[in-house]
Structures are given as C-alpha cells and as structure tokens.
Amino acid sequence: MKNILITGGAGFIGSNLSLALIEKGYEITVLDNLSPQIHGDNPEETSPLYLSIKDKVTFIKGTVTSRNDWEEAIKKQDVIVHFAAETGTGQSMYCIEKYTEVNILGTAILLDILANKNTTVKKVVIASSRSIYGEGKYVHPELGNVYPLHRNEKDMLSGDFSVKYEGEVNLKLQATDEESKIHPSSVYGITKQNQEQMIMTVCPTLNIAPVAFRYQNVYGPGQSLSNPYTGILSIFSTQIRNNNGIQIFEDGKETRDFVYIDDVVNATILGIEKEEANNEIFNVGTGIATDVLTVANTLIDAYNIDVPVKITGKFRLGDIRHNYADMTKIRKLLGFEPQVFFKEGINNFTQWVLRQKIEEDNLESSLAEMKEKGLLK
C-alpha cells in the first residue's frame, strides 16, 4: 500500500505524519482547506506547517464537505487517514452547525463515495478522540467500576469541582480503556463518536479495513500558537511570552494525558502498516495523568518568565475533570510504547516555541465568546 491520502494533512498531526511517511517511501496526497484559525490569514505564504510539506506531497486545497474534492483526492489511494475536523471543545458548543457539517457530513460523504464508486482504497484510519468518553473511569467503593455523568453546575458554582456518582465523592480514578462507557460532554465529542462509529460500521461491509485512534491531548513542536480555542500548552505559552498572567480554570487539579507528537505519529503508522490494527479501536496516550497547575508551573520554569498564576474558579460547561488512557490494548496488539514523556516533551516544545515569533494573546476574546454563549461560568 504505497499511496496514502491524509485529510487535514497540513495540520499539526497531519503534517508530521506526512513527513514521516514520505521518509518511509510512501506517496502522500494531502487534502486541506488551510483554515485561518490554524494556519493564519495568509497560510500559503506564512504557515510553517503547510510550507513544511507543500513541495513534498500532492496538495489539494479543498474541503471534506465537497464531494468533488473528495473524489479528486481519493483517486488511486490505498489508504485514507482522515484527520480533517473542527477540533475546539468549547467552540463546538456554539458553532454546532459548522462542527456537525465538517466532522459528520464530511465523513458521510467519504463513506458514500466508497460505498457507491469503485476505488482502490484498502484501509481507512480515523482520528477519534478521548473526548468521546466524557468523564473518565472510576471505582466506586461499593459499586465497582462506574462512569460518572457531567458534573452539576450548582456544585461547580460553589467551588466544588469533584466528580460524583450517585452522591458518592470517594471515587478512585482509573485509566480509561477502550471498553469504557462512551458519553461525550461536548458537541465536538459527539461528532468524533459519530465519525468513529460510521467508519467502523461501514468500512467492513465494503471490504475496507477500518482503524480508529482515540488520541489524548497531543502536543509538541509545530502546534498552532495562535489558536485560542485548542491546545492548553500553546495557550499558556502565548500568555507567558506576552507577560500576561495565566488563568487556571476550576482549582487547577483537573488532569489530562499529554502525548507527544512523535509518539502519535508512530502509533498512527503502526495502524497503517500492521494488519493487527484492522477493525480495531485504540487509545493513544501515555497512561499518565498530569494536572493543569503542574502544566502552568512547568512552562513558567521552562521559559524563565515569571508571570502570576491565578486559580480563578471559573469553569466551562462541557469540560471534564479527569481522563487518562489505558494503553494495554495498543501495547498488546501493535507493540506501541510511548517514548517521550512530559518532562522531555515540554523541553522540546518550549525550545521550539522560543524560536517562534510571539503571537498575539487572543484568549480573552475566545473566553468572551464563551461567556456570551453562557458556557463560561
């Protein structure tokens, strides 16, 4: 399988995957709309992600919501890696039509073409997300494994950010495995669940192998430093470099599983190349939970810029408290082991950031949008 189409291939993960696959001898086609939110206002001249691949791939500027663009991009492809998506969790709660159109309709058009036209496609890899789980997996002292629903707004307004299940607060956080309950708490999460389920359901009926990767919080050199809607490391970095204080939501003890870009690329390549990945769904993370306050302080130390850290007690509706990946399945079936952990990854990331121009800090405008929509409390 030599020819690979990567939708969203000029994005953060897509461009890194493109370059890695080219080194391995694959022929890469990229379908990407060069969204200004990710690439800036003049992407074909200034986007480092696009410029890193433009002379090395067959590039199609287009959108996954266009049947014509899909049909052009799919020609002679053996594998499709479908990354193109709208990705902001908070933004998805008020740009609902846009997120649904790009993420769900875009995937539906792909599957409709595969189902009704003769193609050479043998495998489809879909970028799913840890967001489909909603809150993570916990052990209840009496009930065993439980999957709590969204936290109560009234509790959070009073400063109680704990996760409860039927009133019980003495819950023990567990790593979330692939068999865990799926109950997303945002429109973004719902669209990723839908994408994953459509790919995993339809492709086998067409004799096409599907693979789904539920990526945790991906970070590393190359991610957008100007997008105020996604990427906590980028958002904090831009605040610090502008000498602005960092605003921490809730109490700063909420955790995420931060997985380095090189590890994500390596896991995805295993999914492309290994038959053991066919018809399977995998978590991609490190299996380690890191709290947001630790992230902020680590970045301040790395940049050696002393800015105040304010724990605001504010919160966004739809945000989860904790989630980190159980990596057992991907280790067993694909032999994947993360190689870059938080300390090394943050060092690599911050050294790269320091070589970039300082972006304007647009966080306040994005927060104002969410507050206007009733999502920021």
Side-chain angles (χ1 to χ4, degrees), residues 1 11 62 139 144 168 186 191 223 225 239 280 305 307 323 342:
M1 296 192 293
V139 174
E168 175 63 62
S186 68
T191 65
Q223 70 185 94
L225 298 173
Q239 288 183 293
E280 299 289 350
I305 301 174
V307 298
N323 191 304
F342 191 68

Side-chain angles (χ1 to χ4, degrees), residues 213-329:
F213 287 113
R214 295 172 180 169
Y215 299 121
Q216 292 278 333
N217 289 59
V218 185
Y219 74 100
Q223 70 185 94
S224 175
L225 298 173
S226 60
N227 187 349
Y229 297 98
T230 61
I232 187 174
L233 295 177
S234 294
I235 292 169
F236 284 176
S237 294
T238 299
Q239 288 183 293
I240 293 167
R241 296 186 77 205
N242 279 278
N243 287 297
N244 295 333
I246 295 178
Q247 298 184 46
I248 303 285
F249 287 168
E250 302 187 17
D251 57 4
K253 297 178 182 178
E254 59 273 26
T255 63
R256 299 292 185 268
D257 185 340
F258 294 94
V259 57
Y260 193 69
I261 181 61
D262 291 359
D263 287 327
V264 169
V265 167
N266 291 337
T268 307
I269 291 174
L270 290 173
I272 292 168
E273 295 184 335
K274 283 184 170 284
E275 288 189 7
E276 292 88 343
N278 295 357
N279 302 296
E280 299 289 350
I281 297 168
F282 300 99
N283 287 331
V284 180
T286 63
I288 299 170
T290 304
D291 69 70
V292 171
L293 189 56
T294 296
V295 172
N297 288 328
T298 302
L299 289 171
I300 288 171
D301 289 343
Y303 294 123
N304 195 28
I305 301 174
D306 188 18
V307 298
V309 176
K310 182 180 181 182
I311 298 175
T312 65
K314 295 178 181 178
F315 59 92
R316 296 184 304 183
L317 296 178
D319 273 358
I320 63 164
R321 181 68 167 171
H322 302 296
N323 191 304
Y324 72 104
D326 185 317
M327 300 292 290
T328 304
K329 182 176 180 180

